[in-house]
Amino acid sequence: QGRARAPRASGLRPGGSRGPAPSAKRGRAQFGGGGAMAAPVLPEDISRKLLEDPAVQQSIQDTCSETNRDAADALLNEEVQSSILKACEERFPDWAAPLKARMKEWIEDPQVGNTSRLAMEWTIGLHQGEMGIVTLARLQQGPPTIRMICIGGCFVAIVHCLIGLGDLSSLLRDPVSYAVTLYQLIFSSAALLFEVQAEMIQRVGLLDSSQNYLLEKAQFLAENLGRGIFYIFQATLWISFLGKTDSMGGFCFLYSLVTGILLIGVRLTKTTVVTNKVTTVYRPVAKEVLP
């Protein structure tokens, strides 16, 4: 009781007043008092992919429309959280349990809030010196039966092209036909990306990025009318194989012509099936725009 205590250096503010030093306050606030910075609930790339998931995006946009709140505040909605957890269980099952246990902490992370705002339709943000434009792309397809016919036609053309390209002797014998076969392989592969369901494409990174590139550079492929005309264009290229010993070339000609007419008919009869897909495009920003 009677012994005097020596003042602690960390307990004195400049000027002699008692209390924790400002640096100590900052240290405890930043490191939670434990001396080690808490690890994020989810890695940044997984958080971004979850917030860009079509089902999650739809839930966030519906909540924003109903409550008139921004995308970060929409994460507090229980339905939005359920859609996020469901997407995580389907796409990243190893991270589902940590996310469920620390959902509140994940939502309160400012980086997650910023990512959620960026993932909204037509939202523009800065990402490592680039401008990220996130859009909800609309992919048009035909009814299931016609879609399967188009998928079958693309597969037949791709297999036929691979067999033709495997015959290297034809490169010297008929280089024009060999080049056309290579073009048809590229065209059929590109068209196939827009006939298969978007959910299946998004599961394979290379296919997803290829489709996103085509959405930016060849947007007509996402429309039934544009893709139908493209199939008819392919049919005109297959004409060069008519009259040759290659009977499959004539079959591909008829198949491409029929699928093109079918897709144009889908457009005219208004039986189009529309699928939404979240896409992100990053473009360089002028230096003077950057802070």
Side-chain angles (χ1 to χ4, degrees):
Q1 296 286 340
R3 287 181 298 178
R5 294 180 180 180
R8 296 180 180 179
S10 61
L12 292 176
R13 294 178 180 174
S17 60
R18 293 189 176 275
S23 60
K25 283 186 177 181
R26 288 195 298 269
R28 284 193 290 268
Q30 182 176 359
F31 297 101
M37 182 177 293
V41 179
L42 298 178
E44 183 179 350
D45 60 331
I46 292 182
S47 294
R48 177 178 55 81
K49 291 178 181 178
L50 284 178
L51 293 171
E52 290 179 354
D53 185 90
V56 173
Q57 266 298 298
Q58 188 62 53
S59 180
I60 291 176
Q61 292 181 32
D62 291 344
T63 301
C64 291
S65 300
E66 294 172 1
T67 61
N68 198 26
R69 303 169 73 179
D70 73 352
D73 292 334
L75 297 178
L76 300 173
N77 184 278
E78 292 183 359
E79 294 183 0
V80 173
Q81 295 177 19
S82 298
S83 65
I84 294 173
L85 188 58
K86 182 179 178 180
C88 188
E89 290 172 348
E90 294 176 352
R91 302 180 60 182
F92 311 103
D94 294 341
W95 291 97
L99 177 61
K100 184 177 181 180
R102 302 171 62 187
M103 177 68 77
K104 182 179 179 182
E105 180 182 347
W106 181 73
I107 291 173
E108 293 176 350
D109 186 347
Q111 182 62 38
V112 172
N114 292 334
T115 304
S116 179
R117 295 186 183 95
L118 177 64
M120 283 292 289
E121 183 181 9
W122 299 114
T123 297
I124 298 178
L126 295 178
H127 176 76
Q128 296 181 353
E130 295 181 328
M131 179 175 291
I133 304 177
V134 182
T135 65
L136 196 64
R138 296 171 62 85
L139 308 181
Q140 296 183 4
Q141 294 176 333
T145 302
I146 294 180
R147 187 167 59 84
M148 293 306 298
I149 292 175
C150 294
I151 291 175
C154 290
F155 269 120
V156 170
I158 290 173
V159 171
H160 175 60
C161 290
L162 290 175
I163 294 174
L165 293 175
D167 183 11
L168 297 179
S169 62
S170 63
L171 178 60
L172 300 176
R173 186 175 62 254
D174 191 356
V176 175
S177 295
Y178 195 89
V180 172
T181 302
L182 177 60
Y183 297 153
Q184 292 288 49
L185 175 63
I186 297 173
F187 294 159
S188 299
S189 300
L192 182 62
L193 292 176
F194 293 90
E195 299 295 354
V196 179
Q197 292 182 347
E199 293 81 2
M200 298 180 63
I201 296 296
Q202 286 184 298
R203 293 174 184 172
V204 183
L206 178 60
L207 298 182
D208 186 41
S209 59
S210 299
Q211 188 183 62
N212 291 342
Y213 179 82
L214 291 173
L215 281 170
E216 182 183 5
K217 303 298 184 181
Q219 192 175 6
F220 67 91
L221 288 175
E223 302 175 358
N224 283 333
L225 180 60
R227 208 159 57 254
I229 296 175
F230 185 65
Y231 284 144
I232 294 176
F233 165 71
Q234 283 188 266
T236 62
L237 294 181
W238 285 120
I239 292 178
S240 62
F241 291 85
L242 297 179
K244 298 182 179 181
T245 57
D246 182 10
S247 60
M248 281 298 296
F251 177 78
C252 290
F253 160 72
L254 291 175
Y255 213 124
S256 297
L257 184 63
V258 170
T259 53
I261 294 174
L262 285 175
L263 279 185
I264 293 176
V266 168
R267 172 65 173 81
L268 296 178
T269 57
K270 299 181 179 180
T271 55
T272 296
V273 178
V274 178
T275 303
N276 293 328
K277 178 190 178 183
V278 176
T279 61
T280 305
V281 179
Y282 293 104
R283 295 187 178 91
V285 179
K287 291 183 178 180
E288 58 269 20
V289 177
L290 296 175

PDB file of all heavy atoms in Angstrom, residues 38-60:
ATOM      1  N   ALA A  38      -5.605 -10.833 -37.556  1.00  0.00           N
ATOM      2  CA  ALA A  38      -6.526 -11.917 -37.868  1.00  0.00           C
ATOM      3  C   ALA A  38      -6.541 -12.183 -39.371  1.00  0.00           C
ATOM      4  O   ALA A  38      -6.562 -11.266 -40.173  1.00  0.00           O
ATOM      5  CB  ALA A  38      -7.928 -11.558 -37.379  1.00  0.00           C
ATOM      6  N   ALA A  39      -6.523 -13.461 -39.726  1.00  0.00           N
ATOM      7  CA  ALA A  39      -6.543 -13.842 -41.130  1.00  0.00           C
ATOM      8  C   ALA A  39      -7.934 -13.598 -41.708  1.00  0.00           C
ATOM      9  O   ALA A  39      -8.937 -13.709 -41.004  1.00  0.00           O
ATOM     10  CB  ALA A  39      -6.162 -15.309 -41.278  1.00  0.00           C
ATOM     11  N   PRO A  40      -8.040 -13.235 -42.990  1.00  0.00           N
ATOM     12  CA  PRO A  40      -9.361 -13.046 -43.597  1.00  0.00           C
ATOM     13  C   PRO A  40     -10.150 -14.341 -43.601  1.00  0.00           C
ATOM     14  O   PRO A  40      -9.576 -15.432 -43.628  1.00  0.00           O
ATOM     15  CB  PRO A  40      -9.033 -12.560 -45.015  1.00  0.00           C
ATOM     16  CG  PRO A  40      -7.643 -13.053 -45.272  1.00  0.00           C
ATOM     17  CD  PRO A  40      -6.947 -13.018 -43.950  1.00  0.00           C
ATOM     18  N   VAL A  41     -11.463 -14.217 -43.587  1.00  0.00           N
ATOM     19  CA  VAL A  41     -12.317 -15.399 -43.563  1.00  0.00           C
ATOM     20  C   VAL A  41     -12.139 -16.218 -44.835  1.00  0.00           C
ATOM     21  O   VAL A  41     -12.004 -17.440 -44.786  1.00  0.00           O
ATOM     22  CB  VAL A  41     -13.793 -14.985 -43.400  1.00  0.00           C
ATOM     23  CG1 VAL A  41     -14.698 -16.200 -43.388  1.00  0.00           C
ATOM     24  CG2 VAL A  41     -13.972 -14.174 -42.124  1.00  0.00           C
ATOM     25  N   LEU A  42     -12.127 -15.532 -45.986  1.00  0.00           N
ATOM     26  CA  LEU A  42     -11.956 -16.188 -47.275  1.00  0.00           C
ATOM     27  C   LEU A  42     -10.847 -15.487 -48.055  1.00  0.00           C
ATOM     28  O   LEU A  42     -10.652 -14.281 -47.895  1.00  0.00           O
ATOM     29  CB  LEU A  42     -13.256 -16.134 -48.097  1.00  0.00           C
ATOM     30  CG  LEU A  42     -14.492 -16.828 -47.547  1.00  0.00           C
ATOM     31  CD1 LEU A  42     -15.670 -16.604 -48.486  1.00  0.00           C
ATOM     32  CD2 LEU A  42     -14.246 -18.310 -47.345  1.00  0.00           C
ATOM     33  N   PRO A  43     -10.141 -16.206 -48.904  1.00  0.00           N
ATOM     34  CA  PRO A  43      -9.187 -15.538 -49.796  1.00  0.00           C
ATOM     35  C   PRO A  43      -9.906 -14.543 -50.700  1.00  0.00           C
ATOM     36  O   PRO A  43     -11.088 -14.714 -51.007  1.00  0.00           O
ATOM     37  CB  PRO A  43      -8.591 -16.698 -50.614  1.00  0.00           C
ATOM     38  CG  PRO A  43      -8.811 -17.908 -49.770  1.00  0.00           C
ATOM     39  CD  PRO A  43     -10.089 -17.672 -49.037  1.00  0.00           C
ATOM     40  N   GLU A  44      -9.202 -13.518 -51.124  1.00  0.00           N
ATOM     41  CA  GLU A  44      -9.816 -12.436 -51.893  1.00  0.00           C
ATOM     42  C   GLU A  44     -10.439 -12.928 -53.195  1.00  0.00           C
ATOM     43  O   GLU A  44     -11.528 -12.504 -53.575  1.00  0.00           O
ATOM     44  CB  GLU A  44      -8.770 -11.363 -52.194  1.00  0.00           C
ATOM     45  CG  GLU A  44      -9.322 -10.155 -52.930  1.00  0.00           C
ATOM     46  CD  GLU A  44      -8.254  -9.109 -53.193  1.00  0.00           C
ATOM     47  OE1 GLU A  44      -7.147  -9.251 -52.637  1.00  0.00           O
ATOM     48  OE2 GLU A  44      -8.532  -8.158 -53.942  1.00  0.00           O
ATOM     49  N   ASP A  45      -9.750 -13.860 -53.883  1.00  0.00           N
ATOM     50  CA  ASP A  45     -10.285 -14.315 -55.171  1.00  0.00           C
ATOM     51  C   ASP A  45     -11.556 -15.137 -54.999  1.00  0.00           C
ATOM     52  O   ASP A  45     -12.470 -15.064 -55.817  1.00  0.00           O
ATOM     53  CB  ASP A  45      -9.227 -15.134 -55.924  1.00  0.00           C
ATOM     54  CG  ASP A  45      -8.789 -16.363 -55.148  1.00  0.00           C
ATOM     55  OD1 ASP A  45      -8.838 -16.317 -53.900  1.00  0.00           O
ATOM     56  OD2 ASP A  45      -8.398 -17.359 -55.775  1.00  0.00           O
ATOM     57  N   ILE A  46     -11.653 -15.906 -53.906  1.00  0.00           N
ATOM     58  CA  ILE A  46     -12.857 -16.685 -53.659  1.00  0.00           C
ATOM     59  C   ILE A  46     -14.017 -15.769 -53.287  1.00  0.00           C
ATOM     60  O   ILE A  46     -15.158 -15.960 -53.735  1.00  0.00           O
ATOM     61  CB  ILE A  46     -12.613 -17.743 -52.567  1.00  0.00           C
ATOM     62  CG1 ILE A  46     -11.641 -18.799 -53.085  1.00  0.00           C
ATOM     63  CG2 ILE A  46     -13.910 -18.382 -52.109  1.00  0.00           C
ATOM     64  CD1 ILE A  46     -11.355 -19.913 -52.112  1.00  0.00           C
ATOM     65  N   SER A  47     -13.755 -14.750 -52.478  1.00  0.00           N
ATOM     66  CA  SER A  47     -14.804 -13.780 -52.143  1.00  0.00           C
ATOM     67  C   SER A  47     -15.332 -13.100 -53.400  1.00  0.00           C
ATOM     68  O   SER A  47     -16.550 -12.930 -53.568  1.00  0.00           O
ATOM     69  CB  SER A  47     -14.259 -12.729 -51.174  1.00  0.00           C
ATOM     70  OG  SER A  47     -13.924 -13.300 -49.931  1.00  0.00           O
ATOM     71  N   ARG A  48     -14.425 -12.738 -54.300  1.00  0.00           N
ATOM     72  CA  ARG A  48     -14.852 -12.072 -55.530  1.00  0.00           C
ATOM     73  C   ARG A  48     -15.714 -12.993 -56.390  1.00  0.00           C
ATOM     74  O   ARG A  48     -16.756 -12.586 -56.909  1.00  0.00           O
ATOM     75  CB  ARG A  48     -13.619 -11.610 -56.321  1.00  0.00           C
ATOM     76  CG  ARG A  48     -13.948 -10.969 -57.655  1.00  0.00           C
ATOM     77  CD  ARG A  48     -12.688 -10.497 -58.370  1.00  0.00           C
ATOM     78  NE  ARG A  48     -11.733 -11.565 -58.532  1.00  0.00           N
ATOM     79  CZ  ARG A  48     -11.783 -12.489 -59.480  1.00  0.00           C
ATOM     80  NH1 ARG A  48     -12.787 -12.462 -60.358  1.00  0.00           N
ATOM     81  NH2 ARG A  48     -10.871 -13.430 -59.568  1.00  0.00           N
ATOM     82  N   LYS A  49     -15.288 -14.255 -56.526  1.00  0.00           N
ATOM     83  CA  LYS A  49     -16.045 -15.191 -57.351  1.00  0.00           C
ATOM     84  C   LYS A  49     -17.420 -15.476 -56.763  1.00  0.00           C
ATOM     85  O   LYS A  49     -18.401 -15.645 -57.495  1.00  0.00           O
ATOM     86  CB  LYS A  49     -15.260 -16.484 -57.526  1.00  0.00           C
ATOM     87  CG  LYS A  49     -14.012 -16.327 -58.386  1.00  0.00           C
ATOM     88  CD  LYS A  49     -13.231 -17.624 -58.483  1.00  0.00           C
ATOM     89  CE  LYS A  49     -11.975 -17.438 -59.336  1.00  0.00           C
ATOM     90  NZ  LYS A  49     -11.167 -18.682 -59.410  1.00  0.00           N
ATOM     91  N   LEU A  50     -17.504 -15.533 -55.431  1.00  0.00           N
ATOM     92  CA  LEU A  50     -18.806 -15.752 -54.797  1.00  0.00           C
ATOM     93  C   LEU A  50     -19.736 -14.568 -55.037  1.00  0.00           C
ATOM     94  O   LEU A  50     -20.925 -14.748 -55.340  1.00  0.00           O
ATOM     95  CB  LEU A  50     -18.626 -15.972 -53.294  1.00  0.00           C
ATOM     96  CG  LEU A  50     -18.091 -17.329 -52.850  1.00  0.00           C
ATOM     97  CD1 LEU A  50     -17.919 -17.363 -51.346  1.00  0.00           C
ATOM     98  CD2 LEU A  50     -19.013 -18.447 -53.301  1.00  0.00           C
ATOM     99  N   LEU A  51     -19.214 -13.366 -54.927  1.00  0.00           N
ATOM    100  CA  LEU A  51     -20.047 -12.178 -55.112  1.00  0.00           C
ATOM    101  C   LEU A  51     -20.398 -11.951 -56.575  1.00  0.00           C
ATOM    102  O   LEU A  51     -21.350 -11.239 -56.878  1.00  0.00           O
ATOM    103  CB  LEU A  51     -19.333 -10.951 -54.544  1.00  0.00           C
ATOM    104  CG  LEU A  51     -19.173 -10.966 -53.022  1.00  0.00           C
ATOM    105  CD1 LEU A  51     -18.274  -9.832 -52.554  1.00  0.00           C
ATOM    106  CD2 LEU A  51     -20.530 -10.868 -52.336  1.00  0.00           C
ATOM    107  N   GLU A  52     -19.642 -12.554 -57.499  1.00  0.00           N
ATOM    108  CA  GLU A  52     -19.963 -12.462 -58.918  1.00  0.00           C
ATOM    109  C   GLU A  52     -20.837 -13.621 -59.397  1.00  0.00           C
ATOM    110  O   GLU A  52     -21.248 -13.642 -60.563  1.00  0.00           O
ATOM    111  CB  GLU A  52     -18.675 -12.436 -59.752  1.00  0.00           C
ATOM    112  CG  GLU A  52     -17.884 -11.156 -59.595  1.00  0.00           C
ATOM    113  CD  GLU A  52     -16.600 -11.161 -60.414  1.00  0.00           C
ATOM    114  OE1 GLU A  52     -16.277 -12.196 -61.013  1.00  0.00           O
ATOM    115  OE2 GLU A  52     -15.925 -10.115 -60.439  1.00  0.00           O
ATOM    116  N   ASP A  53     -21.122 -14.574 -58.500  1.00  0.00           N
ATOM    117  CA  ASP A  53     -21.968 -15.706 -58.872  1.00  0.00           C
ATOM    118  C   ASP A  53     -23.340 -15.196 -59.319  1.00  0.00           C
ATOM    119  O   ASP A  53     -23.922 -14.316 -58.677  1.00  0.00           O
ATOM    120  CB  ASP A  53     -22.127 -16.643 -57.669  1.00  0.00           C
ATOM    121  CG  ASP A  53     -22.899 -17.894 -58.021  1.00  0.00           C
ATOM    122  OD1 ASP A  53     -22.290 -18.885 -58.426  1.00  0.00           O
ATOM    123  OD2 ASP A  53     -24.136 -17.870 -57.884  1.00  0.00           O
ATOM    124  N   PRO A  54     -23.885 -15.707 -60.430  1.00  0.00           N
ATOM    125  CA  PRO A  54     -25.167 -15.200 -60.949  1.00  0.00           C
ATOM    126  C   PRO A  54     -26.292 -15.239 -59.937  1.00  0.00           C
ATOM    127  O   PRO A  54     -27.060 -14.277 -59.817  1.00  0.00           O
ATOM    128  CB  PRO A  54     -25.446 -16.123 -62.147  1.00  0.00           C
ATOM    129  CG  PRO A  54     -24.102 -16.594 -62.584  1.00  0.00           C
ATOM    130  CD  PRO A  54     -23.283 -16.706 -61.340  1.00  0.00           C
ATOM    131  N   ALA A  55     -26.411 -16.348 -59.174  1.00  0.00           N
ATOM    132  CA  ALA A  55     -27.489 -16.451 -58.192  1.00  0.00           C
ATOM    133  C   ALA A  55     -27.309 -15.440 -57.066  1.00  0.00           C
ATOM    134  O   ALA A  55     -28.273 -14.814 -56.612  1.00  0.00           O
ATOM    135  CB  ALA A  55     -27.547 -17.870 -57.630  1.00  0.00           C
ATOM    136  N   VAL A  56     -26.071 -15.256 -56.626  1.00  0.00           N
ATOM    137  CA  VAL A  56     -25.797 -14.271 -55.571  1.00  0.00           C
ATOM    138  C   VAL A  56     -26.076 -12.868 -56.081  1.00  0.00           C
ATOM    139  O   VAL A  56     -26.672 -12.039 -55.384  1.00  0.00           O
ATOM    140  CB  VAL A  56     -24.337 -14.406 -55.093  1.00  0.00           C
ATOM    141  CG1 VAL A  56     -23.989 -13.283 -54.118  1.00  0.00           C
ATOM    142  CG2 VAL A  56     -24.111 -15.760 -54.434  1.00  0.00           C
ATOM    143  N   GLN A  57     -25.648 -12.579 -57.318  1.00  0.00           N
ATOM    144  CA  GLN A  57     -25.897 -11.272 -57.895  1.00  0.00           C
ATOM    145  C   GLN A  57     -27.386 -10.965 -57.991  1.00  0.00           C
ATOM    146  O   GLN A  57     -27.823  -9.862 -57.681  1.00  0.00           O
ATOM    147  CB  GLN A  57     -25.265 -11.199 -59.279  1.00  0.00           C
ATOM    148  CG  GLN A  57     -23.876 -10.613 -59.291  1.00  0.00           C
ATOM    149  CD  GLN A  57     -23.847  -9.191 -58.799  1.00  0.00           C
ATOM    150  OE1 GLN A  57     -24.445  -8.297 -59.373  1.00  0.00           O
ATOM    151  NE2 GLN A  57     -23.169  -8.968 -57.697  1.00  0.00           N
ATOM    152  N   GLN A  58     -28.158 -11.965 -58.398  1.00  0.00           N
ATOM    153  CA  GLN A  58     -29.594 -11.763 -58.514  1.00  0.00           C
ATOM    154  C   GLN A  58     -30.211 -11.456 -57.155  1.00  0.00           C
ATOM    155  O   GLN A  58     -31.058 -10.566 -57.018  1.00  0.00           O
ATOM    156  CB  GLN A  58     -30.255 -13.009 -59.111  1.00  0.00           C
ATOM    157  CG  GLN A  58     -31.730 -12.838 -59.465  1.00  0.00           C
ATOM    158  CD  GLN A  58     -31.935 -11.775 -60.531  1.00  0.00           C
ATOM    159  OE1 GLN A  58     -31.309 -11.824 -61.585  1.00  0.00           O
ATOM    160  NE2 GLN A  58     -32.783 -10.808 -60.258  1.00  0.00           N
ATOM    161  N   SER A  59     -29.768 -12.176 -56.135  1.00  0.00           N
ATOM    162  CA  SER A  59     -30.280 -11.954 -54.782  1.00  0.00           C
ATOM    163  C   SER A  59     -29.901 -10.560 -54.275  1.00  0.00           C
ATOM    164  O   SER A  59     -30.720  -9.863 -53.665  1.00  0.00           O
ATOM    165  CB  SER A  59     -29.737 -13.031 -53.844  1.00  0.00           C
ATOM    166  OG  SER A  59     -30.214 -12.851 -52.537  1.00  0.00           O
ATOM    167  N   ILE A  60     -28.660 -10.146 -54.526  1.00  0.00           N
ATOM    168  CA  ILE A  60     -28.213  -8.824 -54.085  1.00  0.00           C
ATOM    169  C   ILE A  60     -28.990  -7.723 -54.800  1.00  0.00           C
ATOM    170  O   ILE A  60     -29.445  -6.755 -54.180  1.00  0.00           O
ATOM    171  CB  ILE A  60     -26.700  -8.660 -54.328  1.00  0.00           C
ATOM    172  CG1 ILE A  60     -25.905  -9.574 -53.393  1.00  0.00           C
ATOM    173  CG2 ILE A  60     -26.269  -7.209 -54.127  1.00  0.00           C
ATOM    174  CD1 ILE A  60     -24.415  -9.541 -53.626  1.00  0.00           C
TER     175      ILE A  60
END
